Amino acid sequence: MDKVIIVRYCEIHLKGNNRGFFERIFVENMERALKGIKHEIRKQSGRYVIEGFESEQASYITDKVKNVFGVHTLSAAYKVSTSLDNIFEAVIKLAPVSGTFKIDTHRADKTFNMNSMQINAEIGGRLLEYNNNLRVDVHSPQAVIGIDLRENGTSLVFGNLINGVGGMPVGTAGKGMLLISGGIDSPVAGYMMAKRGMRIECIHFHSYPYTNMQAKEKVEELASVLAKYSCGTVLNVVKVTHIQEEIHKKCNGDFMVTILRRFMFRIAERLAKKCGSQCLITGESLGQVASQTIEGMTSSGSVVSKLPILRPLCGFDKNEIIERSRAMGAYEISIKPYEDCCTVFLPRHPVIHPKMRDVLEEEAKLDIEALISEALNSLEVIKI
Ligand code: ATP
Ligand code: MG
């Protein structure tokens, strides 16, 4: 009797002619998650079976694979050569010690001399005899034990379903450049686009020495958490210290954040074009802070002319974002107390509803191109 893991996938079945492409990438992503662990992944009638691993690795493999986007559910399972005795032996291993259960048989092997209802009754009856703390409940059982008789003389016996993260395989929906800060929102924004199949590159802006090195390390940590879901990522780090000093020196201080944001978006777009990213992604949420009013987003977004800006959190409340941040394992890192560059030279009264005319007038006091080039020259690329 071999321990195996059954993996069922999400929306890939909707993809018609592209299905092969989606499935190939899905398998590659599972393989990447299991790198270094002995195993084989086989496709079997609309799902995958992972086998050939050391049995003590089963829960480790389950944990890895359930976080691969595209996975709908998984089950710990046993593969046996088809016979009632072998199947029952596996059922015993998966059955709960008490409570209610149901046996659910699917028989692809039509040559087997019992139909699925008969197998349910036979195996269910044996289990009741074996453990009299169990009861049958076919309507809402606490445990469902599945039996799948394959045509090749083997059967899969599996326990309750474990939920995967859902979504689409990363690598099936292009690539985006995530503006990542050290906060709670942007890693979640990256997670959500990766979940729809997008590969993610990151760009982070820092103001060393006004912000410290721990702030940068924190962003590296956040990018590493994101990378677990996005099949790796690249973190581009750009220094905007001089840009902030120039704004502080030459412009009305109340426009600090507005103008800095516009620089960030310009630099991000240029780098995105260079790296083959097809959009920018931010963690903005409408009305969350002064710079995320619709006027603020219009002002920062209007400097980006060639790429769309995706704001997957735009309609979320902060507590919904925090819930997602916790679920992806980023929250404890995000709340570490290091300063972001946006807090440097923070104005007492930042403009909340910036008018384009005023923004352009303030910005005209700066040599925009020279400052962008200088910032891009500071680029440090970290592969994660
Ligand atoms: P977050 O939690 O992502 O930091 P926030 O609520 O603090 O978001 P802001 O500081 O207004 O909001 O930032 C809005 C968005 O701008 C962020 O979600 C991120 O996409 C981008 N951003 C802000 N600061 C930086 C930075 N230092 N480097 C890169 N992107 C940034
Ligand atoms: Mg922030």
Side-chain angles (χ1 to χ4, degrees), residues 47-59:
R47 61 192 176 180
Y48 290 91
V49 178
I50 306 176
E51 53 191 42
F53 51 84
E54 306 294 339
S55 62
E56 58 274 18
Q57 299 267 36
S59 63

Side-chain angles (χ1 to χ4, degrees), residues 181-184 204-212 215-216 218 240-241 244-245 247-248 253 255-258 260-261 264 289 291-292 334 336-350:
S181 68
I184 296 168
H204 174 68
F205 300 97
H206 72 93
S207 313
Y208 188 77
Y210 298 109
T211 55
N212 58 27
K216 191 181 129 196
K218 176 182 173 184
V240 289
T241 315
Q244 286 187 277
E245 287 168 345
I247 301 171
H248 182 63
F255 284 82
M256 168 58 79
V257 178
T258 310
L260 177 61
R261 274 290 139 76
M264 287 182 175
V289 290
S291 58
Q292 295 177 29
S334 287
K336 288 184 190 173
Y338 304 115
E339 304 272 284
D340 185 55
C341 67
C342 297
T343 57
V344 179
F345 303 123
L346 200 63
R348 188 128 2 125
H349 304 291

Side-chain angles (χ1 to χ4, degrees), residues 61-72:
I61 293 177
T62 305
D63 278 348
K64 285 279 176 194
V65 172
K66 79 178 183 201
N67 286 325
V68 173
F69 287 130
V71 173
H72 180 48

